[in-house]
Amino acid sequence: MRAVQALLSRELRLALRAKTDWLMPPFFLLVVVTLFGLGGKAHDPALSVYAPAILWVASLLAALLTLERLFRPDYEDGTLEQLCLAPGPLYALVLAKFIAHWLLTGLPLVMLAAPLAVGLGLSGTAVPTLVAGLALGTPCLSALGGFVAALTVGLPRTGLLLPVLVLPLIVPVVIFGAGAVRAAQEGLDAQAPLYFLAAILVLSLSLVPGVASAALRNAFD
Amino acid sequence: MWTWFHRLASPPFFFRLAERWAPWLGVAALVLLAWGWIGGLVFAPPDYQQKDAFRIIYVHVPAAAVSLSLYTLMALAGAVAVIWRMKLAECVLVATAPVGASMTVVALVTGMLWGKPMWGTYWVWDARLTSELVLLFLYLGVIGLYRAFDDPRAGARACALLAIVGVVNVPIVKYSVEWWNSLHQGSTIMKLGKPSIALEMAIPLYAAVAGTLLFCGYAILRRVQNELLWRERGTQWVRELRVGEPGR
Amino acid sequence: MTRLLIQALCIRRGDRVLVPTLDLAVTSGELLHVRGANGSGKTTLLEMLAGLRPAEGIRREPEDMPLHWIGHRNALASHLSPIENLQFWCGVNGVDAAGVVPALERMRLPPAARRRPVRMLSAGQKRRSALARLLLVQRPLWLLDEPLDGLDRDGIAILGELLSAHVRAGGLVVMTSHQALPANLPSVREIELARGMM
């Protein structure tokens, strides 16, 4: 537990020192949403129809931006070796990395989503569903994306590989997340997809750290 | 049982076993495919609704069925590779990915061709086509990941982990896409009791499925052999194999 | 009796066999200096000994012998100061962080450098900070990959003192180095890794 705490506070401290790293995702989200607004017609009602998809996809891409940097600096400076050799279980440390990633990228996106959704013309009743969905979905992204980042950490270049590997894994999250908002917009029951998101979240938080730590150990081969 | 399992895991033993079995598999696949395709494309009666367009199921259904089972096979091989660090399982995993990916492509393309007369468009975002597309991405991910690694062992192990996560993901994707949208016809062949497909149509279909399965088995065996030869190129048994070659 | 036994160990990188089989025993109070040309498998051997790489044929007695691993990379985050880095290491390893400043003092890292971000330190200062881990907690087995890298004469002398104290107290050291080891080390044994050695 102390190890998890130490890792978390280190990650947050590192983020404070390199502000651009965690300011980028929310800024990216802002830019994408603005461009969508400007790219369409002025006062286009269709924009609100696509608002859930736009917000979800933009937050996804924004979270993807930072994934590459999740384990790579630690791999390059040798910290990962020390983490692998630490006495505690590695999956707890991996989970701490995921939590840190979510705090730094997922949480700001969740907080930004409500004002942006209103800007895109999303009806007031659907906004809580959107925020709830993002709050449940972005941690899944951090976990699944973090797993892929762990898989590719030993590679010299990942470039295209990271998104290609992440996208199929997060399809269900996007479908349930955006679907919940759509259901809420149409006055349907939005609880079922949110429960599914919660189930996926539980599954990814319990299973993925173990697999990801195996992937990290594999990076030394 | 266990000793046999251990012997199977030894590369030279498996190589020779595959050398003996692969031709038979190939012949059996050819026979079954010929039976299924000729029977299905020529002799089976046209569908009362879909006319001759339905005949594409003799390619589409086997490819779709096999594409999913191959992914499961890949994940199983991956689990063995991760847990027991077995070289043979790594080779099976790596050999299966391109075969499975090709089958997925075949299923997608034939599905789209079928979709044109049926739904009037090549692509609909229906549950099964969409999950097949996601499956293709998963396969491509495995292939791309393996190629990105210099060291085949580390690459295969990374792919194994990805395949394991993917196999958990596939049913979730399937379910989510179904929830999201269902447009496709219901499953036609796997219903027990009363099949909703005429027997003259069904038997060639089963033959085609079995034939495709055997063909994939053949292709995978041969690919595993290649992979083994490449991985073990420095070892004694591969050298002996080359001594036995004619012209050497 | 603490020992490190290496029996019929095959050192390989990927599919390339570097050393087909290696037999070796390091007993308590011994320092093993692994030598060899670049690419002869020294680092790989150390990583195997540390358990970073899967290997068959390595036995530690006792089984759960704690070890210090100082790789050729310093494991210091460049945006954090040496003190912050070592405090983090203490947290992850469940060690009391009160020893951090004395350890850096012992490594003779100037007080100003202790609080500066690591990226502004010289190579030798970084190495000293990394090696300070050896002082944070007592562990019988030290695995050091090129520890002398970047150290000045003073730094080498400090490391020499640490090594002799550790070996005299019954510790085990396995290290690689291209340079000559610090003078007056007790019970040093050298092995040379070479391609195809038996």
Side-chain angles (χ1 to χ4, degrees), chain B residues 17-89:
Chain B
L17 198 75
E19 194 65 28
R20 235 179 310 151
W21 280 82
W24 294 105
L25 265 182
V27 170
L30 217 62
V31 170
L32 279 170
L33 277 181
W35 179 21
W37 282 348
I38 295 175
L41 300 181
V42 182
F43 294 116
D47 187 76
Y48 75 100
Q49 244 182 344
Q50 311 187 1
K51 300 284 176 305
D52 278 338
F54 95 97
R55 291 183 196 279
I56 204 163
I57 66 167
Y58 293 104
V59 185
H60 175 74
V61 170
V66 165
S67 66
L68 203 65
S69 15
L70 285 188
Y71 198 86
T72 319
L73 171 72
M74 208 166 77
L76 278 178
V80 175
V82 168
I83 297 169
W84 288 293
R85 300 190 158 265
M86 194 190 280
K87 202 179 231 179
L88 180 66

Coordinates of all heavy atoms in Angstrom, one line a residue, chain B residues 17-89:
Chain B
L17 N 6.1 -34.9 -37.1 CA 4.6 -35.3 -37.0 C 3.8 -34.4 -38.0 O 3.0 -35.0 -38.8 CB 4.1 -34.9 -35.6 CG 2.8 -35.6 -35.2 CD1 3.1 -37.1 -34.9 CD2 2.2 -34.9 -34.0
A18 N 4.1 -33.1 -38.1 CA 3.4 -32.3 -39.0 C 3.7 -32.7 -40.5 O 2.9 -32.7 -41.3 CB 3.8 -30.8 -38.8
E19 N 5.0 -33.0 -40.7 CA 5.4 -33.4 -42.0 C 4.6 -34.6 -42.5 O 4.2 -34.7 -43.6 CB 6.9 -33.8 -42.0 CG 7.6 -33.9 -43.3 CD 7.7 -32.6 -44.0 OE1 7.7 -31.6 -43.4 OE2 7.7 -32.6 -45.3
R20 N 4.3 -35.5 -41.5 CA 3.5 -36.7 -41.9 C 2.0 -36.4 -42.1 O 1.4 -36.9 -43.0 CB 3.7 -37.8 -40.8 CG 4.2 -39.1 -41.4 CD 4.4 -40.2 -40.3 NE 5.2 -39.7 -39.2 CZ 5.1 -40.1 -38.0 NH1 4.2 -41.0 -37.7 NH2 5.8 -39.6 -37.0
W21 N 1.5 -35.5 -41.2 CA 0.1 -35.3 -41.2 C -0.4 -34.2 -42.2 O -1.5 -34.3 -42.7 CB -0.4 -34.9 -39.8 CG -0.5 -36.1 -38.9 CD1 0.5 -36.7 -38.3 CD2 -1.7 -36.8 -38.6 NE1 0.0 -37.8 -37.6 CE2 -1.3 -37.9 -37.8 CE3 -3.0 -36.7 -39.0 CZ2 -2.2 -38.8 -37.3 CZ3 -3.9 -37.6 -38.5 CH2 -3.5 -38.7 -37.7
A22 N 0.4 -33.3 -42.5 CA 0.0 -32.1 -43.3 C -0.6 -32.6 -44.7 O -1.7 -32.1 -45.1 CB 1.1 -31.1 -43.5
P23 N 0.1 -33.5 -45.4 CA -0.5 -33.8 -46.7 C -1.9 -34.4 -46.6 O -2.8 -34.1 -47.4 CB 0.5 -34.9 -47.2 CG 1.8 -34.7 -46.5 CD 1.4 -34.1 -45.1
W24 N -2.1 -35.3 -45.6 CA -3.4 -35.9 -45.4 C -4.5 -34.8 -45.2 O -5.6 -34.8 -45.7 CB -3.4 -36.9 -44.3 CG -2.5 -38.1 -44.6 CD1 -1.3 -38.3 -44.1 CD2 -2.8 -39.1 -45.5 NE1 -0.8 -39.5 -44.7 CE2 -1.7 -40.0 -45.5 CE3 -3.9 -39.4 -46.4 CZ2 -1.7 -41.1 -46.3 CZ3 -3.9 -40.5 -47.2 CH2 -2.8 -41.4 -47.2
L25 N -4.1 -33.9 -44.3 CA -5.0 -32.8 -44.0 C -5.4 -32.0 -45.3 O -6.5 -31.7 -45.5 CB -4.4 -31.8 -43.0 CG -4.7 -32.0 -41.5 CD1 -4.0 -30.9 -40.8 CD2 -6.2 -31.9 -41.3
G26 N -4.3 -31.7 -46.1 CA -4.5 -31.0 -47.3 C -5.5 -31.7 -48.2 O -6.4 -31.1 -48.8
V27 N -5.2 -33.0 -48.4 CA -6.1 -33.8 -49.3 C -7.5 -33.8 -48.8 O -8.5 -33.5 -49.5 CB -5.6 -35.2 -49.5 CG1 -6.6 -36.1 -50.2 CG2 -4.2 -35.2 -50.2
A28 N -7.7 -34.0 -47.5 CA -9.0 -34.1 -46.9 C -9.7 -32.7 -47.1 O -10.9 -32.7 -47.5 CB -9.0 -34.5 -45.4
A29 N -9.0 -31.7 -46.9 CA -9.6 -30.3 -47.0 C -10.0 -30.1 -48.5 O -11.1 -29.6 -48.7 CB -8.5 -29.3 -46.7
L30 N -9.2 -30.5 -49.4 CA -9.5 -30.4 -50.8 C -10.8 -31.1 -51.2 O -11.7 -30.6 -51.8 CB -8.4 -30.9 -51.7 CG -8.0 -30.1 -52.9 CD1 -7.6 -28.7 -52.5 CD2 -6.9 -30.8 -53.7
V31 N -10.9 -32.4 -50.7 CA -12.1 -33.2 -51.0 C -13.3 -32.6 -50.4 O -14.3 -32.4 -51.1 CB -11.9 -34.6 -50.5 CG1 -13.2 -35.4 -50.6 CG2 -10.8 -35.3 -51.2
L32 N -13.2 -32.2 -49.2 CA -14.4 -31.6 -48.5 C -14.8 -30.3 -49.1 O -16.0 -30.1 -49.4 CB -14.2 -31.4 -47.0 CG -14.3 -32.7 -46.2 CD1 -13.7 -32.5 -44.8 CD2 -15.7 -33.1 -46.1
L33 N -13.9 -29.5 -49.5 CA -14.2 -28.2 -50.1 C -14.8 -28.4 -51.4 O -15.8 -27.7 -51.8 CB -12.9 -27.4 -50.2 CG -12.5 -26.6 -49.0 CD1 -11.3 -25.8 -49.2 CD2 -13.6 -25.6 -48.5
A34 N -14.3 -29.4 -52.2 CA -14.8 -29.6 -53.5 C -16.3 -30.1 -53.4 O -17.2 -29.6 -54.1 CB -14.0 -30.7 -54.2
W35 N -16.5 -31.0 -52.5 CA -17.8 -31.5 -52.2 C -18.8 -30.3 -51.8 O -19.8 -30.1 -52.4 CB -17.8 -32.6 -51.1 CG -19.1 -33.1 -50.8 CD1 -20.3 -33.1 -51.6 CD2 -19.5 -33.8 -49.6 NE1 -21.3 -33.8 -50.9 CE2 -20.8 -34.2 -49.7 CE3 -18.8 -34.2 -48.4 CZ2 -21.5 -34.9 -48.7 CZ3 -19.4 -34.8 -47.4 CH2 -20.8 -35.2 -47.6
G36 N -18.3 -29.6 -50.8 CA -19.2 -28.5 -50.3 C -19.4 -27.5 -51.4 O -20.6 -27.0 -51.6
W37 N -18.4 -27.1 -52.1 CA -18.6 -26.0 -53.1 C -19.3 -26.4 -54.3 O -20.2 -25.7 -54.8 CB -17.2 -25.3 -53.4 CG -16.8 -24.4 -52.3 CD1 -17.5 -24.0 -51.3 CD2 -15.5 -23.9 -52.1 NE1 -16.8 -23.2 -50.4 CE2 -15.5 -23.1 -50.9 CE3 -14.3 -24.0 -52.8 CZ2 -14.4 -22.4 -50.5 CZ3 -13.2 -23.3 -52.4 CH2 -13.2 -22.5 -51.2
I38 N -19.0 -27.6 -54.8 CA -19.7 -28.0 -56.0 C -21.2 -28.3 -55.6 O -22.1 -27.9 -56.3 CB -19.0 -29.3 -56.6 CG1 -17.6 -28.9 -57.1 CG2 -19.9 -29.9 -57.8 CD1 -16.8 -30.1 -57.6
G39 N -21.3 -29.0 -54.5 CA -22.7 -29.3 -54.1 C -23.5 -28.0 -53.8 O -24.6 -27.9 -54.1
G40 N -22.8 -27.1 -53.2 CA -23.5 -25.9 -52.8 C -23.7 -24.9 -54.0 O -24.8 -24.4 -54.2
L41 N -22.7 -24.7 -54.8 CA -22.8 -23.7 -55.8 C -23.6 -24.3 -57.1 O -24.2 -23.5 -57.8 CB -21.4 -23.3 -56.3 CG -20.6 -22.6 -55.1 CD1 -19.2 -22.2 -55.6 CD2 -21.3 -21.4 -54.5
V42 N -23.5 -25.6 -57.3 CA -24.1 -26.2 -58.5 C -25.4 -26.9 -58.2 O -26.5 -26.6 -58.8 CB -23.1 -27.1 -59.2 CG1 -23.7 -27.7 -60.5 CG2 -21.8 -26.4 -59.5
F43 N -25.4 -27.8 -57.2 CA -26.5 -28.8 -57.1 C -27.6 -28.3 -56.1 O -28.7 -28.7 -56.3 CB -26.0 -30.1 -56.7 CG -25.1 -30.8 -57.8 CD1 -23.8 -31.0 -57.5 CD2 -25.7 -31.1 -59.0 CE1 -23.0 -31.6 -58.5 CE2 -24.9 -31.6 -60.0 CZ -23.6 -31.9 -59.8
A44 N -27.2 -27.5 -55.1 CA -28.3 -27.2 -54.1 C -29.3 -26.3 -54.8 O -29.0 -25.5 -55.7 CB -27.6 -26.4 -53.0
P45 N -30.6 -26.5 -54.4 CA -31.7 -25.7 -55.0 C -31.6 -24.2 -54.6 O -31.1 -23.9 -53.5 CB -32.9 -26.3 -54.4 CG -32.5 -26.9 -53.1 CD -31.1 -27.4 -53.3
P46 N -32.0 -23.3 -55.5 CA -31.9 -21.9 -55.1 C -32.9 -21.6 -54.0 O -33.9 -22.3 -53.8 CB -32.3 -21.2 -56.4 CG -32.9 -22.2 -57.3 CD -32.4 -23.5 -56.8
D47 N -32.6 -20.6 -53.2 CA -33.4 -20.2 -52.1 C -34.7 -19.6 -52.6 O -34.7 -18.9 -53.6 CB -32.6 -19.2 -51.2 CG -33.4 -18.9 -50.0 OD1 -33.4 -19.7 -49.1 OD2 -34.0 -17.8 -49.9
Y48 N -35.8 -19.8 -51.9 CA -37.1 -19.3 -52.5 C -37.2 -17.8 -52.4 O -37.9 -17.2 -53.1 CB -38.3 -20.0 -51.8 CG -38.6 -19.5 -50.4 CD1 -39.6 -18.6 -50.2 CD2 -37.8 -20.0 -49.3 CE1 -39.8 -18.2 -48.9 CE2 -38.1 -19.6 -48.1 CZ -39.1 -18.7 -47.8 OH -39.3 -18.2 -46.6
Q49 N -36.4 -17.2 -51.4 CA -36.4 -15.8 -51.3 C -35.2 -15.1 -51.9 O -35.4 -14.1 -52.6 CB -36.4 -15.5 -49.8 CG -37.7 -14.8 -49.3 CD -37.6 -14.4 -47.9 OE1 -36.8 -14.9 -47.1 NE2 -38.5 -13.6 -47.5
Q50 N -34.1 -15.7 -51.6 CA -32.8 -15.0 -52.0 C -32.3 -15.4 -53.3 O -31.3 -14.9 -53.8 CB -31.8 -15.2 -50.9 CG -32.3 -14.9 -49.5 CD -31.1 -15.0 -48.5 OE1 -30.0 -15.2 -48.8 NE2 -31.5 -14.8 -47.3
K51 N -33.0 -16.4 -54.0 CA -32.6 -16.9 -55.3 C -31.1 -17.5 -55.2 O -30.8 -18.0 -54.2 CB -32.7 -15.9 -56.4 CG -34.1 -15.4 -56.6 CD -35.0 -16.4 -57.3 CE -36.5 -15.9 -57.4 NZ -37.2 -15.6 -56.2
D52 N -30.4 -17.2 -56.2 CA -29.0 -17.8 -56.2 C -28.0 -17.0 -55.3 O -26.9 -17.4 -55.1 CB -28.5 -17.8 -57.7 CG -29.0 -19.0 -58.4 OD1 -29.4 -20.0 -57.7 OD2 -29.0 -19.0 -59.6
A53 N -28.4 -15.8 -54.9 CA -27.5 -15.0 -54.1 C -27.1 -15.6 -52.8 O -26.1 -15.4 -52.3 CB -28.2 -13.6 -53.8
F54 N -28.0 -16.5 -52.3 CA -27.7 -17.1 -51.0 C -26.5 -18.0 -51.1 O -25.9 -18.3 -50.1 CB -28.9 -18.0 -50.6 CG -28.8 -19.4 -50.9 CD1 -28.4 -20.3 -50.0 CD2 -29.2 -19.9 -52.2 CE1 -28.3 -21.7 -50.3 CE2 -29.0 -21.2 -52.5 CZ -28.6 -22.1 -51.6
R55 N -26.1 -18.4 -52.4 CA -25.0 -19.4 -52.5 C -23.7 -18.9 -51.9 O -22.8 -19.7 -51.7 CB -24.8 -19.8 -54.0 CG -26.0 -20.6 -54.5 CD -25.7 -21.0 -55.9 NE -27.0 -21.4 -56.6 CZ -27.5 -22.7 -56.4 NH1 -26.9 -23.5 -55.6 NH2 -28.6 -23.0 -57.0
I56 N -23.6 -17.6 -51.7 CA -22.4 -17.1 -51.1 C -22.1 -17.6 -49.7 O -21.0 -17.6 -49.2 CB -22.4 -15.5 -51.2 CG1 -20.9 -15.0 -51.2 CG2 -23.2 -14.9 -50.1 CD1 -20.8 -13.6 -51.7
I57 N -23.2 -18.1 -49.1 CA -23.0 -18.6 -47.7 C -22.0 -19.8 -47.7 O -21.4 -20.0 -46.7 CB -24.3 -19.1 -47.1 CG1 -24.9 -20.3 -47.8 CG2 -25.3 -18.0 -46.9 CD1 -26.0 -21.0 -47.0
Y58 N -21.8 -20.5 -48.8 CA -20.9 -21.6 -48.8 C -19.5 -21.1 -48.7 O -18.6 -21.9 -48.4 CB -21.1 -22.4 -50.1 CG -22.4 -23.1 -50.1 CD1 -23.4 -22.7 -50.9 CD2 -22.6 -24.2 -49.2 CE1 -24.7 -23.3 -50.8 CE2 -23.9 -24.8 -49.1 CZ -24.9 -24.3 -50.0 OH -26.1 -24.9 -49.9
V59 N -19.2 -19.8 -48.9 CA -17.9 -19.3 -48.6 C -18.0 -18.4 -47.3 O -17.1 -18.5 -46.5 CB -17.4 -18.4 -49.8 CG1 -16.0 -17.9 -49.5 CG2 -17.5 -19.1 -51.1
H60 N -19.1 -17.7 -47.2 CA -19.1 -16.7 -46.1 C -19.2 -17.4 -44.7 O -18.4 -17.1 -43.8 CB -20.4 -15.8 -46.3 CG -20.6 -14.9 -45.2 ND1 -19.9 -13.8 -45.0 CD2 -21.6 -14.9 -44.2 CE1 -20.3 -13.1 -43.9 NE2 -21.4 -13.8 -43.4
V61 N -20.1 -18.3 -44.6 CA -20.3 -19.0 -43.3 C -19.1 -19.7 -42.8 O -18.7 -19.5 -41.7 CB -21.6 -19.9 -43.3 CG1 -21.7 -20.7 -42.1 CG2 -22.8 -19.0 -43.5
P62 N -18.5 -20.6 -43.7 CA -17.3 -21.2 -43.2 C -16.2 -20.3 -42.8 O -15.6 -20.4 -41.7 CB -16.8 -22.0 -44.4 CG -18.0 -22.2 -45.3 CD -18.9 -21.1 -45.0
A63 N -16.0 -19.2 -43.6 CA -14.9 -18.3 -43.3 C -15.2 -17.6 -41.9 O -14.3 -17.4 -41.1 CB -14.8 -17.3 -44.4
A64 N -16.5 -17.2 -41.8 CA -16.8 -16.5 -40.5 C -16.7 -17.4 -39.3 O -16.1 -17.0 -38.3 CB -18.3 -15.9 -40.6
A65 N -17.2 -18.6 -39.5 CA -17.1 -19.6 -38.4 C -15.6 -19.8 -38.0 O -15.2 -19.8 -36.8 CB -17.8 -20.9 -38.7
V66 N -14.8 -20.0 -39.0 CA -13.4 -20.3 -38.8 C -12.7 -19.1 -38.2 O -11.8 -19.3 -37.3 CB -12.7 -20.8 -40.1 CG1 -11.2 -20.8 -40.0 CG2 -13.2 -22.2 -40.4
S67 N -13.0 -17.9 -38.7 CA -12.2 -16.8 -38.2 C -12.3 -16.6 -36.7 O -11.4 -16.3 -36.0 CB -12.8 -15.5 -38.9 OG -14.1 -15.3 -38.5
L68 N -13.5 -16.9 -36.2 CA -13.7 -16.8 -34.7 C -13.0 -17.9 -34.0 O -12.3 -17.7 -32.9 CB -15.2 -16.8 -34.4 CG -15.5 -16.1 -33.1 CD1 -15.2 -14.6 -33.1 CD2 -17.0 -16.3 -32.8
S69 N -13.1 -19.2 -34.5 CA -12.5 -20.3 -33.8 C -11.0 -20.2 -33.8 O -10.3 -20.5 -32.8 CB -12.9 -21.6 -34.3 OG -13.6 -21.5 -35.5
L70 N -10.5 -19.6 -34.9 CA -9.0 -19.5 -35.0 C -8.5 -18.5 -33.9 O -7.5 -18.6 -33.3 CB -8.6 -19.0 -36.4 CG -8.6 -20.1 -37.4 CD1 -8.0 -19.6 -38.7 CD2 -7.9 -21.4 -37.0
Y71 N -9.3 -17.4 -33.7 CA -8.9 -16.5 -32.6 C -8.9 -17.2 -31.3 O -8.0 -16.9 -30.5 CB -9.8 -15.3 -32.6 CG -9.2 -14.1 -31.9 CD1 -8.4 -13.3 -32.6 CD2 -9.3 -14.0 -30.5 CE1 -7.7 -12.3 -31.9 CE2 -8.6 -13.0 -29.9 CZ -7.8 -12.1 -30.6 OH -7.2 -11.1 -30.0
T72 N -9.9 -18.0 -31.0 CA -9.9 -18.8 -29.8 C -8.6 -19.7 -29.7 O -8.0 -19.8 -28.6 CB -11.1 -19.6 -29.7 OG1 -12.2 -18.8 -30.2 CG2 -11.4 -20.0 -28.3
L73 N -8.3 -20.4 -30.8 CA -7.2 -21.2 -30.8 C -5.9 -20.4 -30.5 O -5.1 -20.8 -29.7 CB -7.0 -21.8 -32.2 CG -5.7 -22.6 -32.5 CD1 -5.7 -23.9 -31.7 CD2 -5.5 -22.9 -33.9
M74 N -5.9 -19.2 -31.1 CA -4.7 -18.4 -30.9 C -4.6 -18.0 -29.4 O -3.5 -18.0 -28.9 CB -4.9 -17.1 -31.7 CG -3.6 -16.5 -32.2 SD -3.9 -15.3 -33.5 CE -4.6 -13.9 -32.5
A75 N -5.7 -17.6 -28.8 CA -5.6 -17.3 -27.4 C -5.2 -18.4 -26.5 O -4.5 -18.3 -25.6 CB -7.0 -16.7 -27.0
L76 N -5.7 -19.6 -26.9 CA -5.4 -20.8 -26.1 C -3.9 -21.1 -26.2 O -3.2 -21.3 -25.2 CB -6.1 -22.1 -26.7 CG -7.5 -22.2 -26.1 CD1 -8.2 -23.4 -26.8 CD2 -7.5 -22.4 -24.6
A77 N -3.4 -21.0 -27.5 CA -1.9 -21.2 -27.7 C -1.2 -20.1 -26.9 O -0.1 -20.4 -26.3 CB -1.6 -21.1 -29.2
G78 N -1.8 -18.9 -26.9 CA -1.1 -17.8 -26.1 C -1.1 -18.1 -24.6 O 0.0 -17.9 -24.0
A79 N -2.1 -18.7 -24.1 CA -2.2 -19.0 -22.7 C -1.1 -20.0 -22.4 O -0.3 -19.9 -21.4 CB -3.5 -19.5 -22.3
V80 N -1.0 -21.0 -23.2 CA 0.0 -22.1 -23.0 C 1.4 -21.4 -23.1 O 2.3 -21.7 -22.3 CB -0.1 -23.2 -24.1 CG1 1.0 -24.2 -24.0 CG2 -1.4 -23.9 -23.9
A81 N 1.6 -20.5 -24.1 CA 2.9 -19.9 -24.3 C 3.3 -19.1 -23.1 O 4.5 -19.1 -22.7 CB 2.9 -19.0 -25.5
V82 N 2.3 -18.4 -22.5 CA 2.6 -17.5 -21.3 C 2.9 -18.4 -20.1 O 3.8 -18.1 -19.3 CB 1.5 -16.5 -21.1 CG1 1.7 -15.8 -19.7 CG2 1.5 -15.5 -22.2
I83 N 2.0 -19.4 -19.9 CA 2.1 -20.1 -18.6 C 3.3 -21.1 -18.6 O 4.1 -21.2 -17.7 CB 0.8 -20.9 -18.4 CG1 -0.4 -19.9 -18.2 CG2 0.9 -21.7 -17.1 CD1 -1.7 -20.5 -18.2
W84 N 3.4 -21.9 -19.7 CA 4.5 -22.9 -19.7 C 5.7 -22.5 -20.5 O 6.7 -23.2 -20.7 CB 4.0 -24.2 -20.2 CG 3.1 -24.9 -19.2 CD1 3.5 -25.3 -18.0 CD2 1.7 -25.1 -19.3 NE1 2.4 -25.9 -17.4 CE2 1.3 -25.7 -18.1 CE3 0.7 -24.9 -20.3 CZ2 -0.1 -26.1 -17.9 CZ3 -0.6 -25.2 -20.1 CH2 -1.0 -25.8 -18.9
R85 N 5.7 -21.3 -21.1 CA 6.8 -20.8 -21.9 C 7.2 -21.8 -23.0 O 8.3 -22.1 -23.2 CB 8.0 -20.5 -21.1 CG 7.7 -19.4 -20.0 CD 8.9 -18.9 -19.3 NE 8.7 -17.6 -18.8 CZ 8.9 -16.5 -19.4 NH1 9.6 -16.6 -20.6 NH2 8.6 -15.4 -18.9
M86 N 6.2 -22.3 -23.6 CA 6.4 -23.4 -24.6 C 6.7 -22.8 -26.0 O 5.8 -22.0 -26.5 CB 5.2 -24.3 -24.6 CG 5.5 -25.6 -25.4 SD 4.0 -26.5 -25.6 CE 3.8 -27.2 -24.0
K87 N 7.8 -23.1 -26.6 CA 8.1 -22.5 -27.9 C 7.1 -22.9 -29.0 O 6.8 -22.1 -29.8 CB 9.5 -23.1 -28.3 CG 10.2 -22.2 -29.2 CD 11.6 -22.7 -29.5 CE 12.7 -21.7 -29.4 NZ 14.0 -22.2 -29.6
L88 N 6.7 -24.2 -28.9 CA 5.7 -24.6 -30.0 C 4.5 -23.8 -29.9 O 3.9 -23.4 -31.0 CB 5.4 -26.1 -29.7 CG 4.5 -26.7 -30.8 CD1 5.1 -26.7 -32.1 CD2 4.1 -28.1 -30.4
A89 N 4.0 -23.5 -28.7 CA 2.7 -22.7 -28.6 C 2.9 -21.3 -29.2 O 2.0 -20.8 -29.8 CB 2.3 -22.7 -27.1

